[in-house]
Amino acid sequence: MAGLCESGNEPAGSLKAICMKDDYGNWNCNITECEQQFFPQFPDHIITEYFRRNVINLIDKFRATECTERKKSVRRPTKVTENDVEDARERMQRGPNKSVKKLAVEIGVSYGSAHKILRNKLG
C-alpha cells in the first residue's frame, strides 16, 4: 500500500463527497459521481475541461497514494561552504562592481550559488 496522509487515511475536503468506501474498505472514486453531485447544487455553473481534468488527476492521485496532500519537496543541499562565503566577501571588497557571473567563476560556484551568497550571506 502507498503512503498515508499525515491527516489520516481518508480523502481530503471535497474529495470525500465523490469517494465512497466499499464493503472491503477500498475507496472508489468516480468523475461521473462528482458531476452528478455538482450539477444539482450549482445548476448555473459549467464544468470546464480544465476543471474536469483536475478532478480526474486528484482522483488518480488518491487511488495511487491514498492521499491528496502534496509531498514535501526535497531540495538538494547547497554546496556553498564558509570558505566560499569568505572568498566572495574578500573579492567583493577588492572590486565591489564585480558581476555575479564573474564572481561565480572566480570562486568556483554556480551563478545561482554566487547570487545566494551575495543576497543572503553578504546582504
Side-chain angles (χ1 to χ4, degrees):
M1 183 182 343
L4 302 178
C5 293
E6 290 178 16
S7 58
N9 187 14
E10 190 170 288
S14 59
L15 193 57
K16 278 186 189 177
I18 58 172
C19 293
M20 309 279 207
K21 249 188 182 177
D22 64 13
D23 296 335
Y24 303 103
N26 299 320
W27 287 99
N28 294 317
C29 306
N30 189 319
I31 186 65
T32 307
E33 291 175 19
C34 175
E35 290 174 341
Q36 288 172 352
Q37 291 180 19
F38 179 84
F39 285 127
Q41 293 177 10
F42 306 99
D44 297 335
H45 290 73
I46 298 170
I47 295 180
T48 62
E49 188 56 35
Y50 176 77
F51 177 78
R52 193 172 201 279
R53 175 61 25 215
N54 283 335
V55 172
I56 290 170
N57 288 342
L58 191 62
I59 289 171
D60 290 344
K61 182 177 182 179
F62 183 74
R63 282 182 180 148
T65 64
E66 293 190 4
C67 184
T68 57
E69 295 174 0
R70 287 186 173 175
K71 288 191 283 187
K72 186 174 182 178
S73 63
V74 178
R75 295 178 55 180
R76 287 186 287 167
T78 182
K79 292 194 176 191
V80 174
T81 64
E82 285 302 316
N83 291 338
D84 293 333
V85 175
E86 287 304 314
D87 193 14
R89 180 178 283 119
E90 291 171 8
R91 290 175 187 271
M92 291 307 291
Q93 286 173 348
R94 280 187 261 144
N97 293 331
K98 191 175 310 237
S99 72
V100 177
K101 187 175 183 178
K102 189 169 185 174
L103 177 66
V105 170
E106 288 179 4
I107 63 176
V109 298
S110 70
Y111 177 90
S113 293
H115 189 265
K116 284 180 186 176
I117 290 172
L118 292 175
R119 285 281 181 196
N120 301 338
K121 307 284 185 179
L122 303 179

